[in-house]
Amino acid sequence: MQTQDFIELENRLGAHNYKPLDVVLTRGQGIWVWDVEDRRYMDCLSAYSAVNQGHCHPAIQKTLVEQATKLTLTSRAFRNDQLALFYQELCELTRSHKILPMNSGAEAVETVIKAVRKWGYQVKGVPQDCAEIIVCANNFHGRTITIVGFSTDSSSRQDFGPFTPGFKIIPFGDSEALEKAITPNTVGFMVEPIQGEAGVIIPPDGFLQRAKAICEKHNVVLILDEIQTGLGRTGKLLAEEHEGIEADLTLLGKALSGGFYPVSAVLSNKEVMDVLRPGEHGSTFGGNPLACAVSRTALRVLVEEGLIENAAVMGDYFLSELKKLKAPQVKEIRGRGLMIGIEFHPEAGGARAYCLKLMAAGLLCKETHDHIVRLAPPLVIRKEDIDWALERIAKVLKAD
Ligand SMILES: *Cc1c(COP(=O)(O)O)cnc(C)c1O
């Protein structure tokens, strides 16, 4: 079967809830992926930052295979050895006190909403069913009904209501609006340190520090969704470190397994997690030994291979070289670590067209919204790989 055959089959039999580039991938190694006709591409998306450790990392692969031959799923009705060690290592690495393991990112978000609401009723003393959570415009936290209910993106919400009440939306990066939106019933403020899906939107300097102080003053739980920004992507283990703060609750997912398996977690620094009692929350697969073993190795790889530092150094290099291209079609280039956004002028004809040209040149990138291309290669990328990419990006921009 050739590319067109796979595409035809997929289009005929699958739901059309995605608009992928017409490339059919069949294997990957590090920053590279190959299609079914053996063409090689540099992966500049990393599965939305789930493969920070690079495709098919040998150490994670080895753990996956070994653990799969030992024990894969016990459910939480029984304990398993990998879960305890996963807790220990993740707590130590992130200086957290408690962990709640789930599978997808959206599940971690749902978990945190349940936990802060309950904390609000039991600890803060908010009247029953009045808890409010503040979120930001242009957020992306996942795809469940509750989560899309507080999205401001019409295609995420349209025709999916009725939605879960109890959310307030403020402009991203606006600490004054945050303070104004807080009422005695506010239990949490949930925010991405950098908005990824919105197009790599970086808030004003000091925003997270101000948000932290405001939350502390009003006894509101600060929740950072680091599902995309966490685990080295921005050049720090967690993006909160750029502002020297610690969130009360942090969400991780995506690269927590190095792309081998869905693993997410809620990290807690405050005793919010203790309000959850047996029977009140759970997941059949959450915390399973295969997930925990894979995640332990994925975390070890990030640290031992210096991928966090590499993301900082390579990200700075990539960003400054991209800026030097001075392409007239480009409105702005911004980023932190290896999370980079190129925003095109509306007249440039749309980001999708650039993604198609970049694909023909051997780079796989994905547009986000109409005019932004995100560059987020695996964190194992080296300087010569970036030079390879820059040469092709420059050619595509000059060919216009
Ligand atoms: C991807 C993402 C999610 C959702 O994760 P899923 O695993 O797709 O459910 C939530 N928040 C952020 C910031 C994300 O990037």
Side-chain angles (χ1 to χ4, degrees), residues 127-204:
Q128 212 34 241
D129 291 341
C130 293
E132 293 166 358
I133 295 172
I134 300 172
V135 297
C136 290
N138 303 317
N139 69 70
F140 182 84
H141 297 289
R143 298 293 195 172
T144 65
I145 289 291
T146 292
I147 296 170
V148 300
F150 56 77
S151 169
T152 56
D153 176 29
S154 65
S155 62
S156 297
R157 288 170 56 90
Q158 189 65 46
D159 295 336
F160 296 125
F163 298 118
T164 311
F167 298 91
K168 271 193 183 174
I169 298 167
I170 61 160
F172 181 61
D174 186 341
S175 49
E176 267 172 42
L178 171 63
E179 189 148 32
K180 272 198 203 123
I182 291 174
T183 74
N185 293 338
T186 305
V187 295
F189 171 51
M190 178 164 66
V191 63
E192 301 153 83
I194 295 173
Q195 289 186 323
E197 295 317 294
V200 189
I201 311 295
I202 302 171

Side-chain angles (χ1 to χ4, degrees), residues 104-106 140-142 192 225 227-228 254:
S104 67
F140 182 84
H141 297 289
E192 301 153 83
D225 180 347
I227 291 169
Q228 191 164 147
K254 297 207 163 109

Side-chain angles (χ1 to χ4, degrees), residues 77-95:
F78 313 117
R79 298 176 192 269
N80 77 75
D81 55 352
Q82 293 299 318
L83 179 64
L85 296 170
F86 168 69
Y87 284 166
Q88 183 180 39
E89 290 163 14
L90 187 56
C91 277
E92 192 171 38
L93 185 65
T94 61
R95 287 167 300 143

Side-chain angles (χ1 to χ4, degrees), residues 71-285:
L71 184 66
T72 57
L73 183 61
T74 57
S75 85
R76 297 288 303 279
F78 313 117
R79 298 176 192 269
N80 77 75
D81 55 352
Q82 293 299 318
L83 179 64
L85 296 170
F86 168 69
Y87 284 166
Q88 183 180 39
E89 290 163 14
L90 187 56
C91 277
E92 192 171 38
L93 185 65
T94 61
R95 287 167 300 143
S96 303
H97 301 147
K98 296 261 180 185
I99 312 274
L100 198 157
M102 295 296 281
N103 311 285
S104 67
E107 285 175 309
V109 174
E110 291 276 349
T111 301
V112 96
I113 292 169
K114 286 175 73 175
V116 288
R117 281 183 169 186
K118 188 150 193 230
W119 171 86
Y121 301 128
Q122 295 215 328
V123 180
K124 186 166 175 173
V126 171
Q128 212 34 241
D129 291 341
C130 293
E132 293 166 358
I133 295 172
I134 300 172
V135 297
C136 290
N138 303 317
N139 69 70
F140 182 84
H141 297 289
R143 298 293 195 172
T144 65
I145 289 291
T146 292
I147 296 170
V148 300
F150 56 77
S151 169
T152 56
D153 176 29
S154 65
S155 62
S156 297
R157 288 170 56 90
Q158 189 65 46
D159 295 336
F160 296 125
F163 298 118
T164 311
F167 298 91
K168 271 193 183 174
I169 298 167
I170 61 160
F172 181 61
D174 186 341
S175 49
E176 267 172 42
L178 171 63
E179 189 148 32
K180 272 198 203 123
I182 291 174
T183 74
N185 293 338
T186 305
V187 295
F189 171 51
M190 178 164 66
V191 63
E192 301 153 83
I194 295 173
Q195 289 186 323
E197 295 317 294
V200 189
I201 311 295
I202 302 171
D205 278 347
F207 169 64
L208 291 182
Q209 281 174 1
R210 290 190 290 276
K212 166 90 183 167
I214 291 166
C215 286
E216 247 168 38
K217 182 171 147 200
H218 296 279
N219 197 20
V220 167
V221 176
L222 175 63
I223 306 157
L224 289 186
D225 180 347
E226 296 240 24
I227 291 169
Q228 191 164 147
T229 55
L231 302 174
R233 175 52 58 190
T234 70
K236 301 272 188 196
L237 178 72
L238 298 175
E240 67 175 14
E241 294 168 42
H242 290 289
E243 298 224 344
I245 63 146
E246 282 189 17
D248 299 309
L249 296 169
T250 301
L251 308 178
L252 293 180
K254 297 207 163 109
L256 194 49
S257 70
F260 279 83
Y261 199 88
V263 186
S264 67
V266 180
L267 316 181
S268 177
N269 273 336
K270 231 181 163 184
E271 300 308 342
V272 177
M273 205 75 93
D274 284 343
V275 301
L276 293 177
R277 309 302 309 159
E280 294 175 351
H281 191 58
S283 157
T284 304
F285 278 84

